[in-house]
Amino acid sequence: MVLTTDKKSISIHNTEAVSIAEIPVLAYSDFKAQVLTWLHFEKCHCVAYFAYPFAGGLKFIAAIADDSNAQIYLLSHEQKGQNIELDALSATAMPMHIYEREIAENYGVVFNNHPWPKPVRFAFNRFNQEMQVNDYPFYKIESDQLHEVGVGPIHAGVIEPGHFRFLCNGETVLHLEIQLGWQHRGIEQLYLDKKTMLQRAILSENIAGDTAVGHATAYALVSESLTGAHTQNTMLDIERTIALEWERIAMCIFDLSNLNIGIAYQLANSVFGALRTPVINFFQSWCGNRFGKSLIRPGGAHYPLTDELVAKLVAIMDDFETRFDAMAEKTFHLPSVLNRFDGIGKVTKKQMTLIGAVGQAAKAAGLIRDTRYTHPVMAYEILKILPEMQNGGDVLARFIMRRLEIKQSITMIRHLLDMRQYVDQESGAPLKQSEASMKPNTFSLALVEGWRGEICHCAITDEHGDLQHYKVKDPSFHNWLALALSLRNLEISDFPINNKSYNLSYCGFDL
């Protein structure tokens, strides 16, 4: 950790822990000026900004990632009393809108001149208990020529609860507003209520069921940072990185299947869907769960990747790649497929920058947001990948991104398996609860590139080393607004494939 020369922030690397006392506390005017200065540059983006109760008021901590040098700048401000009013950062820096909306909902902070001051998720412990989910203040335009179409929160199939309000002129969508927050799960509070590392690890696996490995890895890295447990275990790093990339393959192939059923191309839907089965079944062979639950634990692994499992993985991957390449070659050159996706749901790089988009959705519009490249940890430090990119920003670009990332993940896994042969250590056993003592009065942050994009977990301990605050950010936290923007001036019938091209998480958002 390094205190910046102006002493307005402290610089850390991904997964590094720092004493809370070492994070500079600024007057809000100085805090605001510093954050806005950084966010003026495309190379910087906010990975966390939150508040928590402190000394009769609130302490606010911001983490700004500098993607050009793998640094994360930490700074804070403190506000006393109950009726807190602040000038909104998002009035100038739009990516901060969602952070400020969450803080306002949780603690009643008023952000003056905020461009979109609406509830985020109606948490069970929200500040204003009189505010109900059915009272959401949808944007309206008074006109005899326009009409509204409401979809959800109950959907067909197994989709999770969310309400979509379309404001239309005939069949053309002028504005889409997405209302989430129907599940009231209280995940972040449960991190404080649950007292063992195992309970918290299991909780992490269930933040978003399709990202069990991603969120469990973020929690493990934060925990190891706070306990000092994980010290350069190359084999464990390799196995965790393989698991993350295997999860990416499983979900990207599912998205390819789902997008093809959206345009009634049954052959690709069936083939890609069938290809997903052996991928997730390998997780079953590895750890006993098809979504990788129980695989990631702080400090080590109950299920090391044995030579027998490696042989099975290589066989599955060889067969998968052969069949995937054949179907992809046909699908990605089929005019009826390309014409249906091309130009639909387009967002620009500027729009994605303005809303703070991350992951595949950002990269499909030409914005590099990939922590494997900009803030690498585990085996990504050795792989030194260059992210796949597209510039179209439409459904086709997001469709192509899945294919490119599947191929890149296969290449990475092959490199990691080769690397594994030259590592003589084992991945080690997970931490026992008796070994899980955490540093007191400490802040830790972990960034993990899940298959959707940037996952961020932050933890703060109190003077006894117990968790005082835990903050989770799923990539969907940023990217739901991208879906809303990308439907403007399209026909409402284009919504299903546009929605599938993002495949955002309801439960990962609704913490």
Side-chain angles (χ1 to χ4, degrees):
M1 67 202 72
V2 178
L3 187 66
T4 53
T5 55
D6 58 12
K7 299 183 180 180
K8 291 184 178 179
S9 66
I10 192 167
S11 169
I12 65 170
H13 290 99
N14 190 6
T15 73
E16 188 175 358
V18 60
S19 168
I20 286 290
E22 294 184 80
I23 301 176
V25 180
L26 308 182
Y28 183 69
S29 58
D30 293 333
F31 174 92
K32 178 184 176 185
Q34 184 62 72
V35 169
L36 294 181
T37 297
W38 280 323
L39 295 184
H40 176 73
F41 300 100
E42 185 181 303
K43 67 177 183 176
C44 292
H45 73 288
C46 182
V47 296
Y49 179 42
F50 59 88
Y52 65 97
F54 177 82
L58 294 174
K59 188 178 184 74
F60 298 70
I61 294 180
I64 309 296
D66 187 334
D67 295 339
S68 67
N69 61 16
Q71 299 291 313
I72 301 171
Y73 303 116
L74 304 177
L75 67 169
S76 69
H77 65 93
E78 296 173 0
Q79 305 297 325
K80 305 298 183 184
Q82 300 297 316
N83 301 313
I84 300 172
E85 289 193 30
L86 300 170
D87 292 333
L89 295 167
S90 50
T92 303
M94 184 61 186
M96 303 300 290
H97 82 95
I98 191 72
Y99 296 109
E100 291 182 327
R101 288 169 57 194
E102 182 189 40
I103 292 169
E105 182 176 21
N106 288 347
Y107 300 109
V109 178
V110 175
F111 288 99
N112 296 318
N113 299 316
H114 192 288
W116 200 247
K118 299 194 179 191
V120 173
R121 56 174 68 101
F122 295 91
F124 75 96
N125 55 351
R126 59 192 178 277
F127 178 80
N128 181 4
Q129 291 292 317
E130 294 182 358
M131 178 181 64
Q132 301 298 316
V133 70
N134 289 331
D135 299 328
Y136 185 87
F138 285 103
Y139 179 72
K140 295 182 178 293
I141 299 177
E142 298 298 331
S143 171
D144 294 334
Q145 299 179 14
L146 305 181
H147 65 281
E148 293 181 347
V149 178
V151 178
I154 305 302
H155 298 269
V158 295
I159 196 169
E160 296 182 63
H163 182 81
F164 299 85
R165 184 71 61 89
F166 302 84
L167 188 60
C168 301
N169 183 4
E171 293 296 309
T172 302
V173 178
L174 301 180
H175 177 75
L176 166 61
E177 194 161 353
I178 302 168
Q179 178 197 2
L180 302 171
W182 298 84
Q183 298 179 105
H184 314 291
R185 297 192 300 156
I187 291 288
E188 292 170 338
Q189 181 60 43
L190 285 172
Y191 274 99
L192 309 186
D193 297 340
K194 304 300 180 182
K195 299 304 180 182
T196 71
M197 196 164 280
L198 177 59
Q199 288 174 320
R200 291 165 179 164
I202 293 171
L203 183 64
S204 302
E205 293 171 337
N206 290 280
I207 290 172
D210 56 18
T211 318
V213 175
H215 279 288
T217 301
Y219 169 71
L221 293 173
V222 164
S223 299
E224 290 161 0
S225 176
L226 290 171
T227 60
H230 178 48
T231 55
Q232 295 301 315
N233 187 318
T234 304
M235 185 61 81
L236 182 61
D237 287 341
I238 288 173
E239 292 178 1
R240 286 177 174 178
T241 305
I242 289 172
L244 281 166
E245 295 307 315
W246 200 244
E247 182 174 71
R248 186 182 308 276
I249 292 170
M251 293 313 303
C252 284
I253 197 69
F254 169 78
D255 284 347
L256 291 178
S257 174
N258 207 23
L259 274 161
N260 277 287
I261 197 61
I263 58 171
Y265 184 30
Q266 188 62 49
L267 176 62
N269 164 246
S270 299
V271 173
F272 289 141
L275 283 173
R276 178 174 178 257
T277 300
V279 176
I280 60 175
N281 282 353
F282 178 74
F283 271 136
Q284 177 82 34
S285 299
W286 189 354
C287 66
N289 182 277
R290 300 205 312 164
F291 290 93
K293 294 181 179 182
S294 76
L295 181 59
I296 308 297
R297 291 290 182 263
H302 288 300
Y303 304 99
L305 190 61
T306 63
D307 291 340
E308 181 182 0
L309 284 169
V310 168
K312 185 171 185 177
L313 172 59
V314 171
I316 291 171
M317 195 160 49
D318 288 345
D319 180 65
F320 173 94
E321 190 169 23
T322 299
R323 292 197 286 159
F324 173 74
D325 286 345
M327 191 68 248
E329 187 67 19
K330 181 177 181 64
T331 303
F332 284 82
H333 288 87
L334 196 64
S336 59
V337 172
L338 302 182
N339 289 341
R340 186 66 185 92
F341 292 157
D342 189 21
I344 300 298
K346 186 176 178 64
V347 286
T348 65
K349 179 181 177 181
K350 181 178 180 180
Q351 286 177 312
M352 299 304 263
T353 304
L354 285 172
I355 68 170
V358 297
Q360 285 183 350
K363 291 182 289 185
L367 177 62
I368 294 182
R369 288 285 184 265
D370 192 320
T371 61
R372 298 174 300 172
Y373 171 66
T374 55
H375 301 271
V377 292
M378 301 183 298
Y380 295 117
E381 293 184 89
I382 303 170
L383 290 171
K384 298 186 183 302
I385 73 160
L386 185 65
E388 298 288 357
M389 300 287 290
Q390 291 288 293
N391 293 309
D394 56 3
V395 172
L396 180 59
R398 294 186 284 276
F399 187 60
I400 293 171
M401 279 296 300
R402 265 58 171 205
R403 181 189 188 185
L404 295 176
E405 294 216 335
I406 286 171
K407 294 293 289 183
Q408 186 178 50
S409 293
I410 290 173
T411 300
M412 281 193 280
I413 291 173
R414 293 193 191 282
H415 284 320
L416 292 168
L417 293 177
D418 289 340
M419 190 188 310
R420 177 183 171 277
Q421 301 177 56
Y422 302 100
V423 178
D424 55 8
Q425 67 190 130
E426 297 180 352
S427 52
L431 278 179
K432 298 177 182 177
Q433 188 58 34
S434 59
E435 303 168 330
S437 177
M438 296 187 292
K439 303 170 189 174
N441 296 316
T442 301
F443 171 91
S444 179
L445 174 150
L447 297 176
V448 170
E449 191 69 15
W451 68 270
R452 281 191 183 93
E454 177 184 291
I455 294 168
C456 181
H457 284 214
C458 298
I460 295 173
T461 59
D462 62 17
E463 63 271 20
H464 305 294
D466 296 327
L467 276 184
Q468 180 180 9
H469 192 72
Y470 201 90
K471 174 55 59 180
V472 175
K473 188 191 72 175
D474 185 83
S476 299
F477 187 69
H478 296 288
N479 289 352
W480 276 108
L481 183 55
L483 170 60
L485 291 175
S486 61
L487 204 69
R488 289 185 175 179
N489 297 317
L490 292 181
E491 291 188 5
I492 195 170
S493 56
D494 287 323
F495 174 73
I497 62 168
N498 201 21
N499 190 21
K500 292 175 190 294
S501 75
Y502 287 96
N503 188 11
L504 301 175
S505 177
Y506 297 77
C507 58
F509 181 94
D510 192 3
L511 302 173

